[in-house]
Amino acid sequence: KLDTSWIDASADSDGNAAGTKENPYILLDRGDLYGFAELVNEGNTFEGKYVSLGANIEVNFDGKAADWANGEEADHSWVPIGVAKEKHFMGTFDGKNPMTEETQEISGLYFVADKVGGLFVDTDNATLKNFVLANSYFKAEEGSAPVAGWYNGGTFDTIKVAKDVITENYHSTKG
């Protein structure tokens, strides 16, 4: 089970619940990002909730997307956020650090699978904004897109996909 203690740790000093625009859930490291993905993938849509990045998050510290595209494997595979249409993200994901107002970066994502891949797989009336996606590799049979594979309404705003992000699609013949 991944660490999801950041949900409780995000409450303010007065004990007010987190997840609001004024007091968002804050992801600080790779473990927090994986925990967030796990919660969404278990069915928590975060509808009406706010999630922010409190730091740059690097999933794979060693390796480059170009090397992964040439067959090397990364140390950590990424499991995208929102793995199925009934388990999608419906909140606000804001890469701007609420303390410093700096735009944060997510990098080192490595995803190779037969399903749709990206940072998110399925969003439904979600807002994704203010982050940079860098040095990441997505390869999927059903399609890959760096930010979100399926988009069902909502807003994407001020998202930068760096030139070192690689997406590939492959199709196999199944008999």
Side-chain angles (χ1 to χ4, degrees):
K1 188 87 174 159
L2 295 171
D3 181 14
T4 56
S5 62
W6 51 270
I7 286 185
D8 296 327
S10 295
D12 68 16
S13 59
D14 294 327
N16 295 320
T20 63
K21 185 175 184 178
E22 297 76 24
N23 187 30
Y25 296 122
I26 299 174
L27 308 178
L28 295 172
D29 58 28
R30 173 177 65 194
D32 292 351
L33 186 63
Y34 272 96
F36 170 58
E38 180 177 284
L39 287 171
V40 174
N41 296 343
E42 289 176 348
N44 183 343
T45 66
F46 285 81
E47 185 172 10
K49 300 293 182 183
Y50 290 76
V51 179
S52 292
L53 297 176
N56 292 328
I57 297 177
E58 187 172 17
V59 173
N60 283 288
F61 303 110
D62 297 320
K64 301 282 183 220
D67 296 332
W68 301 329
N70 288 322
E72 290 186 29
E73 290 190 21
D75 293 334
H76 303 281
S77 290
W78 174 241
V79 177
I81 301 163
V83 294
K85 290 188 180 190
E86 65 277 357
K87 296 180 179 177
H88 44 243
F89 180 69
M90 298 176 69
T92 297
F93 183 86
D94 189 349
K96 192 174 283 189
N97 184 323
M99 307 303 178
T100 66
E101 294 297 311
E102 293 177 0
T103 298
Q104 302 300 309
E105 177 179 285
I106 297 173
S107 65
L109 299 178
Y110 172 84
F111 175 82
V112 176
D114 61 349
K115 298 181 175 132
V116 174
L119 173 60
F120 290 81
V121 167
D122 194 7
T123 63
D124 188 359
N125 293 311
T127 298
L128 309 179
K129 63 182 182 177
N130 302 321
F131 63 90
V132 175
L133 184 61
N135 186 38
S136 295
Y137 178 69
F138 306 98
K139 182 176 182 178
E141 181 176 341
E142 294 181 22
S144 59
V147 177
W150 286 311
Y151 165 75
N152 185 26
T155 304
F156 288 17
D157 185 24
T158 319
I159 299 170
K160 178 182 177 189
V161 178
K163 65 182 178 179
D164 60 355
V165 173
I166 299 172
T167 61
E168 296 182 322
N169 300 320
Y170 66 91
H171 301 280
S172 65
T173 51
K174 297 180 181 178

